[in-house]
Amino acid sequence: MLKCIDVLALGSVYVDGALTPAERRSLRLHMLVCRHCRRYLRSLQLTRATIAVLPVPATEQTVEQVLSAIPPTE
Ligand SMILES: [Zn+2]
């Protein structure tokens, strides 16, 4: 069975859905008995979902427009 440190290493791969079936089974088995890792993976999933709905970064042109609108100091 996986240890908590193994779950830390595989967590982001798990939420990306990129684990092998055997790794996924081992991780899920660990989650059945470890509430700490369940919380950890839930927080990773929430973080991933939040990032997915954030707007795309500003373009370089938008950054230049905003910077040029700032009055110079002195
Ligand atoms: Zn654990």
Side-chain angles (χ1 to χ4, degrees):
M1 182 190 301
L2 293 179
K3 295 179 179 176
C4 295
I5 195 160
D6 300 321
V7 174
L8 286 174
L10 294 174
S12 61
V13 182
Y14 174 74
V15 297
D16 288 341
L19 288 181
T20 66
E23 290 172 327
R24 191 170 42 252
R25 276 194 301 275
S26 296
L27 192 139
R28 287 182 175 167
L29 181 61
H30 180 88
M31 286 172 36
L32 286 174
V33 297
C34 182
R35 65 185 169 100
H36 303 293
C37 287
R38 283 196 302 269
R39 286 184 184 168
Y40 167 68
L41 290 174
R42 185 174 304 147
S43 72
L44 279 182
Q45 289 168 328
L46 286 172
T47 301
R48 186 176 194 279
T50 301
I51 289 171
V53 297
L54 290 176
V56 293
T59 64
E60 191 169 325
Q61 180 183 9
T62 302
V63 172
E64 290 299 324
Q65 288 173 340
V66 170
L67 289 176
S68 65
I70 298 173
T73 56
E74 300 202 11

